C-alpha cells in the first residue's frame, strides 16, 4: 500500500500544481466560467453515466470470469456516444431562451461538453478498471500520465493563446485523449477472452430489468447529488456573480482534490477486494469487506481534516494565485463538506453490496432540499461566505439520513477506539499549530513543512495495520 500511497502523493502534487497554474494564468472570472462548464458536464455524468458505471463495477468480476466484459462494453460505448451527442440539445434550448448564460462561443461550448463526456468517461472507465483487474501499477502509471499530460498541454495552449476557460479545458481533454488511447489498448489486452457462445447474443429484457432495478435509484439519487455537489453553483452565479464563484471554487478545489486523492488511495487498494467479496452475496463477507475499507479511510479522513484546517492559510498562499488570497476559508469548509461526502459514500456502499440502491434515494432528496432552501435564504444576507456552512449542513443531513437508511440488517464493524485516537491526534496537531505560529512568526513555508511532517507521522502511526495488510490480500 505504501507504494500506491507515494504514487497518489505524486498525483496530489500534480493536482495542486494544476490548481496553482490555472489560478495564476486565469482570473477568478474565468475560473467561475470553468466551474460552470464543469457543472454542466458533471450533470450528464452523474445522472446518465455514473449509475450505469456503478452497475458495471458491481458485475465486473463475474463478467470477466465468464469472458463477457468485451461483449457488455460494446453496449456501453454505444450508450455513451448517444448520451454525449444528445447532451447538446438541452444546452441549445436553454441558451435559446437565455436560461443558460455562459459568455463565449456557444458552438465551442457544445463541442467541449460533447468531448468531455466522451473522452473523460472513457478515460475513467478503461484506466480504473485496470485496478479492478489487478494491474495496479499500470493503473497508477496511466493515472499519473493522464494528469501530467493534461496539465502540460493545457499550460501550453493557454500561454500561447489566451487565458480563457475554454482553452484550458481543451488542453485537459487533449491530454486525457492521448493517454486514453494507451489505456484502451492495455485494458482490452487484460480482460479475459470473450466467450464464443455469447458473442452473437443480445441483451435480453431480463438483463435490462435487472440493470434498471439497480440503476434507477442511483439515477434519481445522482440527480439530487448533482445539486449538492455542482448544481448549486448555477444559483451562486445568479446571486453572487462569476468572480465570487471563481474565488469559492478555487479554495474548494484544493480541499476537494486532497480529500478525493485520499479516497482514491483507499479505492485503489481496497475497492477491488470489496467488489470481489460482495460478489458472494454472503452478508458476513460483505460486512468484513466494508469494515476493512471503512477502518482505513475514516481515521485518515479525520486527520486530513485537522491538517487542512491547521494549514489552510499556508496552503492557500502557496497553491493559489495572488488574486485568490481570500479563498482560505472556502478551503476549510470544502474539507468538511468533502469528508462528509466520502463518509456518506462509504456507508452508501452497503446499499450497493445488498443490491438495494433504492435506499439512497431519500437521503439525496432531503440533502438537496435543505441545500437549496438554505442557499435561497442565506445568500442574499451573508453573500458568498455563507456557502461553505450551508454545504456542510446539507452534507451532514445527507450523511445522517444515509446511515439511517442502510443500517438495517447490517453490522458496522468499526473500531471506535481508533476513531478516538485520531481525534486526539488531531487536537494535538491543532495545539502544536497554535504554538508554532506564535514561535515561528511569518515563515509560512517552514510552518507548513512542520505541520506536514507532524501530520504524516500521525498518519503513519494510525495506518500501520493497513500498511501490513498487503501480504494478506
Amino acid at each position: 500500500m505504501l507504494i500506491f500511497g507515494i504514487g497518489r502523493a505524486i498525483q496530489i502534487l500534480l493536482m495542486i500544481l494544476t490548481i496553482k497554474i490555472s489560478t495564476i494564468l486565469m482570473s477568478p472570472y474565468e475560473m467561475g466560467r470553468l466551474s460552470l462548464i464543469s457543472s454542466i458536464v458533471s450533470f450528464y455524468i452523474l445522472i446518465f453515466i455514473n449509475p450505469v458505471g456503478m452497475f458495471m463495477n458491481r458485475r465486473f468480476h463475474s463478467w470477466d470470469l465468464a469472458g463477457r466484459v468485451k461483449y457488455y462494453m460494446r453496449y456501453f460505448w454505444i450508450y455513451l456516444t448517444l448520451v454525449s451527442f444528445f447532451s447538446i440539445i438541452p444546452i441549445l434550448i436553454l441558451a435559446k431562451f437565455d436560461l443558460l448564460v455562459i459568455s463565449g462561443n456557444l458552438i465551442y461550448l457544445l463541442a467541449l461538453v460533447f468531448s468531455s463526456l466522451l473522452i473523460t468517461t472513457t478515460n475513467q472507465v478503461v484506466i480504473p478498471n485496470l485496478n479492478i483487474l489487478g494491474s495496479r501499477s499500470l493503473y497508477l502509471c496511466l493515472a499519473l500520465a493522464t494528469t501530467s499530460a493534461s496539465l502540460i498541454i493545457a499550460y501550453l495552449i493557454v500561454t500561447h493563446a489566451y487565458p480563457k476557460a475554454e482553452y484550458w479545458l481543451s488542453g485537459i481533454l487533449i491530454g486525457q485523449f492521448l493517454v486514453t488511447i494507451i489505456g484502451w489498448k492495455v485494458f482490452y489486452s487484460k480482460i479475459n477472452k470473450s466467450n464464443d457462445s455469447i458473442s452473437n447474443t443480445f441483451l435480453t429484457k431480463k438483463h435490462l430489468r435487472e440493470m434498471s432495478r439497480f440503476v434507477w435509484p442511483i439515477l434519481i439519487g445522482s440527480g439530487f447529488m448533482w445539486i449538492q455537489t455542482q448544481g448549486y453553483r448555477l444559483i451562486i452565479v445568479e446571486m453572487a456573480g462569476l468572480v465570487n464563484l471563481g474565488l469559492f471554487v478555487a479554495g474548494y478545489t484544493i480541499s476537494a482534490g486532497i480529500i478525493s486523492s485520499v479516497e482514491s488511495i483507499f479505492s485503489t487498494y481496497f475497492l477491488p477486494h470489496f467488489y470481489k467479496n460482495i460478489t458472494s452475496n454472503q452478508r458476513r463477507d460483505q460486512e468484513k469487506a466494508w469494515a476493512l475499507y471503512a477502518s482505513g479511510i475514516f481515521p485518515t479522513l479525520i486527520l486530513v481534516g485537522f491538517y487542512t484546517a491547521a494549514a489552510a492559510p499556508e496552503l492557500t498562499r502557496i497553491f493559489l494565485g495572488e488574486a485568490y488570497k481570500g479563498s482560505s476559508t472556502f478551503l476549510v469548509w470544502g474539507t468538511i463538506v468533502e469528508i462528509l461526502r466520502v463518509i456518506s459514500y462509504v456507508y452508501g456502499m452497503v446499499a450497493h453490496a445488498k443490491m438495494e440502491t433504492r435506499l439512497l434515494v431519500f437521503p439525496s432528496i432531503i440533502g438537496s432540499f435543505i441545500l437549496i432552501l438554505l442557499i435561497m435564504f442565506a445568500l442574499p444576507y451573508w453573500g458568498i461566505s455563507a456557502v461553505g456552512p450551508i454545504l456542510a449542513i446539507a452534507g451532514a443531513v445527507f450523511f445522517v439520513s444515509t446511515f439511517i437508511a442502510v443500517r438495517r440488517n447490517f453490522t458496522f464493524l468499526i473500531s471506535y477506539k481508533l476513531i478516538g485516537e485520531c481525534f486526539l491526534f488531531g487536537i494535538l496537531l491543532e495545539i502544536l499549530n497554535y504554538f508554532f505560529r506564535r514561535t515561528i512568526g511569518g515563515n509560512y513555508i517552514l510552518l507548513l513543512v512542520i505541520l506536514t511532517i507532524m501530520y504524516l507521522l500521525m498518519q503513519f502511526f494510525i495506518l500501520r495495520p493497513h500498511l501490513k495488510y498487503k501480504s494478506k490480500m
Side-chain angles (χ1 to χ4, degrees):
M1 182 178 179
L2 185 59
I3 295 175
F4 301 103
I6 293 172
R8 282 302 180 183
I10 296 172
Q11 195 165 29
I12 292 174
L13 292 176
L14 287 171
M15 176 273 300
I16 292 174
L17 186 60
T18 301
I19 298 171
K20 177 69 173 181
I21 293 175
S22 65
T23 54
I24 289 176
L25 296 176
M26 293 190 291
S27 66
Y29 179 83
E30 288 299 328
M31 285 295 291
R33 293 185 65 241
L34 180 62
S35 172
L36 285 185
I37 298 171
S38 300
S39 296
I40 295 170
V41 173
S42 68
F43 172 80
Y44 291 100
I45 290 177
L46 281 174
I47 295 179
F48 297 106
I49 297 172
N50 189 53
V52 177
M54 287 186 173
F55 178 80
M56 291 166 58
N57 286 342
R58 181 66 175 81
R59 295 296 192 190
F60 192 85
H61 271 292
S62 59
W63 289 350
D64 189 50
L65 290 173
R68 293 173 178 258
V69 171
K70 186 176 181 180
Y71 165 72
Y72 286 120
M73 289 301 294
R74 289 184 303 179
Y75 289 99
F76 177 75
W77 299 132
I78 294 171
Y79 173 75
L80 174 60
T81 303
L82 291 174
V83 169
S84 302
F85 178 77
F86 284 107
S87 68
I88 66 177
I89 298 175
I91 300 174
L92 281 172
I93 295 173
L94 291 173
K96 178 70 175 179
F97 294 98
D98 294 328
L99 298 174
L100 178 65
V101 181
I102 303 178
S103 58
N105 188 299
L106 180 60
I107 302 301
Y108 200 167
L109 171 63
L110 295 175
L112 284 175
V113 172
F114 175 85
S115 302
S116 294
L117 289 170
L118 202 59
I119 296 172
T120 302
T121 302
T122 304
N123 180 278
Q124 291 302 306
V125 168
V126 297
I127 294 178
N129 272 324
L130 292 174
N131 180 45
I132 294 180
L133 289 168
S135 300
R136 291 175 179 164
S137 298
L138 281 172
Y139 157 65
L140 191 57
C141 289
L142 289 172
L144 290 172
T146 298
T147 307
S148 303
S150 297
L151 172 59
I152 292 170
I153 297 174
Y155 172 79
L156 292 174
I157 290 177
V158 168
T159 52
H160 287 80
Y162 190 78
K164 295 187 69 174
E166 296 94 327
Y167 299 147
W168 181 265
L169 184 56
S170 297
I172 296 293
L173 291 174
I174 293 171
Q176 288 181 351
F177 176 73
L178 295 176
V179 181
T180 299
I181 295 174
I182 302 172
W184 178 287
K185 293 182 178 180
V186 175
F187 171 73
Y188 276 99
S189 71
K190 292 292 181 179
I191 59 176
N192 285 329
K193 301 298 181 181
S194 295
N195 189 334
D196 293 336
S197 63
I198 64 166
S199 60
N200 296 318
T201 60
F202 299 93
L203 285 176
T204 65
K205 290 183 178 179
K206 180 181 177 182
H207 292 144
L208 294 175
R209 279 196 302 268
E210 181 182 4
M211 184 178 70
S212 64
R213 280 197 300 268
F214 183 91
V215 164
W216 76 259
I218 300 178
L219 187 151
I220 296 172
S222 295
F224 288 101
M225 181 58 67
W226 175 78
I227 295 175
Q228 294 186 59
T229 58
Q230 298 284 338
Y232 68 89
R233 297 177 182 182
L234 300 176
I235 303 176
I236 292 177
V237 169
E238 292 296 323
M239 302 181 73
L242 276 169
V243 173
N244 281 323
L245 176 63
L247 291 170
F248 170 80
V249 168
Y252 190 99
T253 300
I254 294 179
S255 55
I258 292 173
I259 300 301
S260 295
S261 298
V262 170
E263 179 186 14
S264 184
I265 290 172
F266 284 88
S267 298
T268 301
Y269 203 71
F270 291 113
L271 274 191
H273 174 81
F274 174 81
Y275 281 117
K276 182 178 180 180
N277 279 271
I278 65 175
T279 304
S280 68
N281 293 320
Q282 297 296 317
R283 176 182 159 185
R284 189 62 180 169
D285 290 339
Q286 294 173 352
E287 290 173 348
K288 287 181 178 179
W290 183 90
L292 177 64
Y293 186 42
S295 63
I297 197 168
F298 285 174
T300 301
L301 289 172
I302 293 170
L303 283 179
V304 169
F306 278 105
Y307 168 73
T308 52
E314 288 70 36
L315 291 172
T316 304
R317 188 170 181 177
I318 292 175
F319 299 127
L320 291 181
E322 192 70 21
Y324 299 83
K325 285 183 178 179
S327 297
S328 60
T329 302
F330 303 135
L331 190 155
V332 176
W333 283 112
T335 301
I336 296 172
V337 173
E338 285 297 300
I339 288 174
L340 288 168
R341 177 191 63 80
V342 175
I343 293 175
S344 300
Y345 171 77
V346 174
Y347 277 98
M349 294 299 288
V350 175
H352 291 217
K354 294 180 177 181
M355 292 291 286
E356 295 179 4
T357 51
R358 67 182 185 277
L359 297 174
L360 303 177
V361 173
F362 178 75
S364 300
I365 293 174
I366 190 66
S368 300
F369 176 78
I370 294 294
L371 175 62
I372 294 175
L373 188 66
L374 290 176
I375 283 182
M376 299 300 291
F377 171 77
L379 210 60
Y381 295 97
W382 292 286
I384 195 69
S385 61
V387 176
I390 289 171
L391 290 173
I393 293 171
V397 171
F398 177 63
F399 160 63
V400 172
S401 54
T402 299
F403 173 76
I404 293 173
V406 302
R407 65 178 177 172
R408 181 177 297 178
N409 298 324
F410 199 92
T411 303
F412 298 107
L413 306 172
I414 302 176
S415 172
Y416 292 102
K417 178 184 176 182
L418 183 61
I419 299 295
E421 290 176 353
C422 289
F423 274 103
L424 290 176
F425 274 129
I427 293 170
L428 175 61
L429 184 64
E430 296 298 329
I431 294 172
L432 292 173
N433 173 48
Y434 175 78
F435 170 77
F436 283 118
R437 282 187 185 279
R438 294 174 63 88
T439 304
I440 294 174
N443 195 334
Y444 67 93
I445 295 179
L446 178 59
L447 178 59
L448 182 61
V449 170
I450 293 173
L451 290 174
T452 302
I453 291 173
M454 290 191 299
Y455 159 72
L456 291 174
L457 290 173
M458 293 175 180
Q459 195 73 84
F460 178 78
F461 179 83
I462 291 295
L463 287 179
R464 282 183 304 169
H466 288 279
L467 294 173
K468 297 175 182 178
Y469 184 74
K470 181 179 179 182
S471 61
K472 301 178 183 179
M473 287 188 69

